[in-house]
Amino acid sequence: MQFTFPRFTALLLFPLLLLCASAATAASTKICTGDTALSKFDGYWTTDHFVSLLKKHGNWTGAMKATDSQQVALTIRDGLIKQNLAWHEGDETAYCLRVAGDRIWLVGDGKHRAEQGPYQRLGTPEQNQADLYLARIIQGCFVSEEKEQWCFADGKLSINGKPDKARLSLDLSELDLYGTPLRVEGRKLPFWYLVRRGDAWVVFEDDYASNEKRVPVDPNTSKPWRVLRK
């Protein structure tokens, strides 16, 4: 015997199917470069995977080396979606996003068939991107053997209560690949490298890796410039 749905059952199911289709559409939305709706996503975004790597490695270089640094972050602003491309190159590609809840995925870049993501919002355009990442690596106050107090709060450093202009160097292209490099001003060498050693943070002064006169640093054996402890 052939089984068929009664007509009234089909009439009841039809609105339910429409409701499910509407819910699926609402749960996932596609927004592209230039769309007016893009403005509510303005800010700095990073992949869930990269956030987990920062927690796992506890330093910028380790996290960057453990993934494809070309794809770990986005900046959305002024109607544009830009990949950070290891914070070394410009990006003029027109992208689209797939939005689902508080996460986004990058689609339609013409280069990758697979979606990239998910990305989570790290901060707003008014914030400093480098500060947002450094805050994921180190927080709190430490005392050096020279009795200096180094305090890291929300990605900013103060020494003995005085704000310091040292900032995380996002671009590693000309740097030695160890620790967490901070770009500093007004010093003989342009970088401080933070390296976790047991319950302390050690700080090395260092130069661009491309400088032929640079004295190489081995973070395991070289004498640090500062040792910071809680």
Side-chain angles (χ1 to χ4, degrees), residues 6-215:
R7 180 176 295 180
F8 74 90
T9 302
L11 290 173
L12 287 174
L13 286 174
F14 184 67
L16 182 60
L17 291 172
L18 287 177
L19 182 62
C20 291
S22 298
T25 302
S28 183
T29 306
K30 188 175 181 180
I31 301 174
C32 297
T33 294
D35 290 351
T36 56
L38 191 62
S39 61
K40 65 181 179 181
F41 298 97
D42 281 0
Y44 301 109
W45 297 74
T46 191
T47 61
D48 291 358
H49 179 58
F50 192 58
V51 170
S52 68
L53 287 175
L54 286 172
K55 183 177 181 180
K56 176 183 177 180
H57 292 274
N59 71 82
W60 185 249
T61 299
M64 288 276 277
K65 288 170 67 177
T67 189
D68 182 350
S69 59
Q70 296 277 314
Q71 300 180 20
V72 297
L74 303 175
T75 297
I76 302 176
R77 185 168 48 205
D78 301 326
L80 300 174
I81 305 162
K82 293 190 175 185
Q83 283 194 295
N84 289 70
L85 302 178
W87 292 273
H88 183 66
E89 302 174 83
D91 183 15
E92 302 302 327
T93 308
Y95 294 103
C96 291
L97 304 175
R98 181 173 67 84
V99 181
D102 62 352
R103 294 293 193 269
I104 62 176
W105 285 257
L106 192 68
V107 297
D109 65 351
K111 299 176 184 177
H112 304 88
R113 292 183 180 276
E115 291 182 338
Q116 297 174 34
Y119 295 85
Q120 59 179 271
R121 198 194 308 255
L122 197 65
T124 67
E126 292 75 30
Q127 295 175 284
N128 182 280
Q129 187 176 188
D131 294 348
L132 295 169
Y133 284 105
L134 186 60
R136 298 276 179 154
I137 296 172
I138 184 170
Q139 290 270 53
C141 291
F142 307 84
V143 177
S144 72
E145 294 176 341
E146 290 74 20
K147 307 304 180 185
E148 300 167 328
Q149 186 180 57
W150 291 48
C151 289
F152 295 87
D154 299 324
K156 295 180 174 62
L157 169 64
S158 63
I159 301 177
N160 292 334
K162 183 179 179 181
D164 195 280
K165 293 182 179 180
R167 278 233 159 92
L168 172 64
S169 179
L170 299 168
D171 183 2
L172 296 178
S173 59
E174 294 187 43
L175 305 186
D176 201 352
L177 298 182
Y178 71 94
T180 298
L182 305 184
R183 183 75 168 86
V184 298
E185 296 181 9
R187 300 190 61 82
K188 182 178 180 180
L189 294 175
F191 295 100
W192 289 335
Y193 280 73
L194 304 175
V195 177
R196 192 71 179 260
R197 186 180 289 176
D199 62 352
W201 287 87
V202 297
V203 184
F204 296 97
E205 290 188 300
D206 210 339
D207 205 342
Y208 286 100
S210 58
N211 188 340
E212 295 180 355
K213 296 182 179 180
R214 171 180 176 258
V215 178

